[in-house]
């Protein structure tokens, strides 16, 4: 396995943007722009309230719908939360787990990320696991250690067979929503650190087969250069995924 045989996945993370009506329109706008047989998979991770509209609007197209989070318990007294089975039965195929905004603002820890990863995989969802260092950690020179620790804790108890439903997104926190994109070298190196951690857990072959995305201020202008790197198998895109033409241009750059 190498870059050419790994799945390339371009995923949008809409975060807290778009009403259901806006979601429908955005997907209708995107559909004709990504029509045809491309060699990359396309995913839009949308707010929970938008899922029914998004699934309906994407039906019969290349666009798969994902959620932005999932709870780890199957059901019960967890006000405001959504289970993996609820997502599956709503037509969701992917889910983001461990996004840095969840870690920063909502008390997400490596341990709860691990629980969510396992719950989602066990329910048959495809997981986009996010890892990434904050600027202070990069400045301390411990990016490799941080990525390795986050990856290893998140994957504790995940079987090698389940890796086929796992994508890891390297998202340096300092590059998210800041317009300060990682250089292609930094993205390639970070993704390589993630792949090395996976190799330590499951062996080189499994790690080589894994799709590792880069995320953080990726846009239609810088995507081609980032995606050309050997360890960059796709992108997780925030701001630029909200505009159909920009997101479609990133898909074009990937294929
Ligand atoms: P931006 O593309 O807006 O920097 O967001 C990246 C991100 O957090 C994707 O999950």
């Amino acid at each position: 396995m190498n870059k050419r045989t790994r799945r390339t996945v371009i995923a949008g993370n809409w975060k807290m943007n778009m009403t259901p009506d806006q979601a429908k329109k955005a997907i209708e706008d995107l559909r004709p722009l990504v029509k045809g047989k491309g060699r990359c998979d396309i995913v839009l991770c949308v707010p929970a309230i938008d899922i029914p509209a998004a699934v309906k609007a994407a039906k019969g197209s290349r666009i798969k719908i994902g959620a932005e989070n999932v709870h780890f318990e199957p059901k019960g007294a967890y006000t405001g939360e959504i289970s993996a089975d609820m997502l599956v039965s709503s037509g969701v195929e992917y889910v983001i787990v461990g996004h840095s905004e969840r870690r920063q603002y909502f008390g997400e820890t490596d341990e709860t990320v691990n629980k969510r990863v396992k719950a989602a995989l066990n329910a048959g969802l495809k997981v986009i696991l996010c890892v990434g260092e904050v600027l202070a950690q990069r400045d301390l020179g411990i990016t490799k250690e941080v990525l390795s620790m986050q990856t290893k804790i998140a994957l504790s108890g995940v079987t090698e067979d389940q890796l086929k439903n796992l994508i890891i997104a390297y998202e340096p926190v300092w590059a998210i929503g800041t317009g300060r994109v990682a250089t292609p070298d930094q993205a390639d190196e970070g993704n390589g650190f993630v792949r090395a951690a996976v190799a330590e857990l499951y062996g080189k072959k499994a790690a080589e087969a894994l799709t590792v995305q880069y995320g953080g201020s990726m846009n239609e202008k810088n995507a081609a250069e980032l995606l050309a790197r050997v360890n960059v198998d796709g992108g997780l895109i925030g701001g630029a995924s909200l505009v159909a033409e920009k997101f479609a241009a990133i898909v074009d750059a990937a294929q």
Side-chain angles (χ1 to χ4, degrees):
M1 267 293 173
N2 59 31
K3 187 172 169 70
R4 244 176 253 142
T5 47
R6 288 197 287 263
R7 269 172 58 230
T8 302
V9 182
I10 298 296
N13 173 9
W14 279 0
K15 308 192 181 184
M16 197 172 74
N17 293 290
M18 304 268 195
T19 63
D21 282 350
Q22 290 167 336
K24 177 175 181 279
K25 165 120 184 17
I27 293 172
E28 283 169 359
D29 289 347
L30 181 64
R31 280 184 71 135
L33 304 180
V34 297
K35 213 167 164 214
K37 279 205 197 77
R39 66 167 280 282
C40 82
D41 294 354
I42 305 172
V43 184
L44 283 177
C45 296
V46 306
I49 196 85
D50 293 345
I51 287 170
V55 167
K56 197 167 164 213
K59 204 165 180 217
S61 78
R62 285 173 68 193
I63 305 162
K64 309 290 182 201
I65 300 302
E68 297 178 10
N69 194 20
V70 60
H71 193 59
F72 41 81
E73 293 294 343
K75 63 179 186 173
Y78 303 98
T79 303
E81 294 298 318
I82 294 175
S83 74
D85 282 348
M86 291 174 188
L87 294 178
V88 171
S89 70
S90 303
V92 164
E93 290 181 46
Y94 288 79
V95 63
I96 295 173
V97 175
H99 192 278
S100 65
E101 286 148 18
R102 302 288 327 164
R103 296 178 192 252
Q104 260 184 303
Y105 307 136
F106 302 100
E108 193 80 59
T109 65
D110 287 328
E111 285 72 24
T112 55
V113 168
N114 173 239
K115 286 183 176 187
R116 288 176 213 271
V117 167
K118 284 188 291 194
L121 289 173
N122 289 339
L125 289 165
K126 296 188 173 78
V127 169
I128 301 177
L129 163 68
C130 298
V131 297
E133 82 287 1
V134 299
L135 192 58
Q137 292 165 331
R138 171 161 288 267
D139 289 344
L140 276 172
I142 57 170
T143 297
K144 184 177 183 193
E145 287 84 348
V146 170
L147 296 180
S148 178
M149 190 182 76
Q150 289 181 352
T151 301
K152 287 180 182 178
I153 298 175
L155 297 186
S156 166
V158 171
T159 66
E160 184 175 341
D161 186 52
Q162 287 179 312
L163 291 186
K164 64 178 187 298
N165 284 329
L166 182 88
I167 292 167
I168 302 184
Y170 166 53
E171 298 207 304
V173 179
W174 46 270
I176 293 178
T178 58
R180 183 183 162 191
V181 64
T183 65
D185 280 351
Q186 286 171 327
D188 194 45
E189 181 185 59
N191 283 27
F193 290 154
V194 169
R195 203 181 301 286
V198 173
E200 282 178 36
L201 294 175
Y202 301 97
K204 201 163 182 321
K205 194 162 163 247
E208 280 299 315
L210 184 77
T211 296
V212 185
Q213 297 172 318
Y214 166 79
S217 300
M218 189 187 267
N219 60 33
E220 70 287 5
K221 296 193 187 83
N222 58 35
E225 209 187 351
L226 290 160
L227 292 166
R229 291 308 176 104
V230 68
N231 272 311
V232 182
D233 308 313
L236 183 56
I237 296 110
S241 73
L242 297 170
V243 183
E245 291 74 19
K246 291 186 181 183
F247 190 64
I250 298 172
V251 170
D252 280 344
Q255 47 196 22

